[in-house]
Amino acid sequence: MGPKEAEAELQAQADIWKYMLSYVDSMAVKCAVELRIADTINMHGCPITLSQIVADIPDALSPNVSYLKRIMRLLVRRKIFTEHHPLEGGDTKYGITHLSRWLLQDSQMSLAPMLLMETHPRLMTPWHIISHCIKDGGICFEKINGRAIWDFASENPEFNKLFNDAMACTARIVMNTILSEYKHGFDSVGSLVDVGGGIGSGLAEIVKSYPHIKGINFDLPHVAATAPIYDGITHVGGDMFHSIPNADAIFMKWILHDWSDENCVRILKNCRKAIPKETGKVIIVGVVLQPDGDGLFDDTGFVFDLLMLAHTSGGRERTELEWKKVLKEAGFPHYNLIKIPALPSIIEAYPK
């Protein structure tokens, strides 16, 4: 074995170790979020010591500072926190970074609720049986939890809140980008249905920016029942597989990736019935996979595809050609793909 081959072999071993244990990163970040470490440091307005962090941990009966130090050591290495060593001795202080700002639970622009949902035991256990589902068939989440994720949420209020909070936080982040990048996309829309709009936070941002729009937030009854009141928005409970309220346009953010191609066609056909044939449009916000892409979010798109495999009943992320096929089968022969600086893209679909 030559020097280059030996180096490649060693690198391969190091990579396998990294992939094998990458869950440790997720669990360490989850620990930091549950202890509100980023919020505590941010509240102080400057780097603080471990003892200061521990003092602000709620309900800490007998805190183990040595454990926390080891967690922080890894998170500093991952650039989630900074480490400051005083020149004249004293305790090490920890500060926040651009990464940890996305973990602030007191911030409107936070991924903390999404992280807490994705690392919840109910969503982690399906990953352990993917190989069994490949061999024997079946839906991962349903095999572990006994029912589809939507039914499980409807029967478990605590999980339902966790799920809704996660969807709301991603809605705020994505909507912030859409409203700044999707120029004039809502100008001619008088009424807009947000299909699968959760508790309505995403639609609320649209109506706030376009107050002429009559907003209809449409989701399953148990979701719509928990939605807060927003100006200009009506909450409607129902089933998108049966019918969708009529409007000038329909908005769907991260909905179709939850479903198989066959179910997507069913949903889109109902969308087609709900909008004017001549002027209506469906605005889809979803991942468009780039098989050879090296963009900022391209790799995450493929990770999301496996999230759909683990957590949904046939859901998947799609390439542009796969999107085109689904849209055409549903009666949308024309579409416009708009890339934005975010994980998903925007697809405008037209029935004519």
Side-chain angles (χ1 to χ4, degrees):
M1 183 183 296
K4 286 189 177 180
E5 189 175 351
E7 183 181 352
E9 194 71 19
L10 194 62
Q11 180 63 56
Q13 181 195 155
D15 287 343
I16 293 299
W17 279 111
K18 180 175 69 174
Y19 300 144
M20 181 197 311
L21 300 172
S22 59
Y23 71 91
V24 175
D25 288 343
S26 300
M27 294 300 104
V29 176
K30 179 183 183 179
C31 173
V33 169
E34 290 179 332
L35 296 177
R36 302 182 68 93
I37 293 174
D39 291 277
T40 297
I41 298 172
N42 189 58
M43 181 184 65
H44 281 262
C46 62
I48 59 175
T49 64
L50 285 178
S51 60
Q52 289 175 296
I53 293 172
V54 166
D56 285 331
I57 295 176
D59 305 318
L61 300 178
S62 181
N64 191 319
V65 179
S66 67
Y67 278 15
L68 178 59
K69 183 176 182 179
R70 289 157 68 184
I71 292 288
M72 293 299 286
R73 181 167 58 186
L74 177 65
L75 295 180
V76 166
R77 191 171 178 86
R78 297 292 182 262
K79 296 181 170 54
I80 291 174
F81 296 105
T82 58
E83 194 175 55
H84 304 267
H85 302 285
L87 294 176
E88 300 177 0
D91 294 334
T92 300
K93 294 184 177 181
Y94 299 89
I96 60 174
T97 67
H98 288 294
L99 275 70
S100 47
R101 289 189 186 280
W102 287 100
L103 303 176
L104 292 171
Q105 297 188 60
D106 295 331
S107 170
Q108 284 294 304
M109 301 296 284
S110 172
L111 281 168
M114 184 68 170
L115 185 143
L116 291 175
M117 184 193 76
E118 290 296 348
T119 55
H120 188 278
R122 290 288 185 176
L123 291 180
M124 294 294 287
T125 48
W127 289 98
H128 294 281
I129 64 162
I130 289 178
S131 61
H132 298 286
C133 290
I134 289 173
K135 289 190 295 183
D136 305 324
I139 304 299
C140 299
F141 187 93
E142 292 180 22
K143 276 197 168 187
I144 289 290
N145 295 295
R147 58 191 69 78
I149 190 170
W150 325 112
D151 296 327
F152 184 84
S154 70
E155 298 165 9
N156 295 271
E158 185 179 342
F159 183 83
N160 186 50
K161 183 180 186 307
L162 184 76
F163 185 89
N164 288 338
D165 287 347
M167 296 303 101
C169 89
T170 57
R172 284 191 294 269
I173 292 167
V174 174
M175 286 312 308
N176 185 62
T177 304
I178 289 172
L179 291 172
S180 63
E181 298 290 331
Y182 187 43
K183 303 297 184 184
H184 310 296
F186 298 104
D187 284 352
S188 60
V189 176
S191 57
L192 181 69
V193 177
D194 187 353
V195 174
I199 56 175
S201 57
L203 183 59
E205 292 301 312
I206 295 174
V207 172
K208 185 178 178 181
S209 297
Y210 297 84
H212 69 275
I213 292 178
K214 175 188 174 184
I216 303 170
N217 181 55
F218 182 67
D219 212 308
L220 292 169
H222 75 271
V223 177
T226 64
I229 296 173
Y230 296 105
D231 290 338
I233 292 177
T234 302
H235 297 293
V236 177
D239 187 341
M240 62 188 172
F241 288 105
H242 293 158
S243 65
I244 291 170
N246 294 333
D248 296 332
I250 288 172
F251 183 78
M252 285 191 290
K253 179 184 64 62
W254 272 335
I255 300 301
L256 296 180
H257 73 165
D258 291 327
W259 303 100
S260 65
D261 287 356
E262 181 183 2
N263 280 325
C264 284
V265 170
R266 288 176 61 194
I267 296 166
L268 286 165
K269 282 183 175 179
N270 284 337
C271 290
R272 192 168 181 267
K273 294 175 186 176
I275 59 174
K277 185 175 180 180
E278 300 293 331
T279 59
K281 67 177 176 179
V282 176
I283 305 163
I284 300 166
V285 179
V287 169
V288 178
L289 293 176
Q290 304 289 336
D292 300 315
D294 59 357
L296 200 58
F297 296 102
D298 285 341
D299 192 65
T300 307
F302 289 93
V303 174
F304 256 72
D305 182 48
L306 293 192
L307 282 178
M308 298 304 105
L309 188 154
H311 298 156
T312 68
S313 304
R316 58 183 298 179
E317 303 296 357
R318 297 172 172 87
T319 64
E320 184 176 350
L321 285 177
E322 289 168 335
W323 276 113
K324 183 178 181 180
K325 179 177 179 291
V326 167
L327 291 170
K328 188 175 181 180
E329 286 183 20
F332 291 89
H334 305 290
Y335 71 92
N336 182 30
L337 174 60
I338 303 169
K339 294 183 179 180
I340 58 175
L343 174 58
S345 298
I346 297 171
I347 303 171
E348 295 177 318
Y350 301 94
K352 188 173 180 179

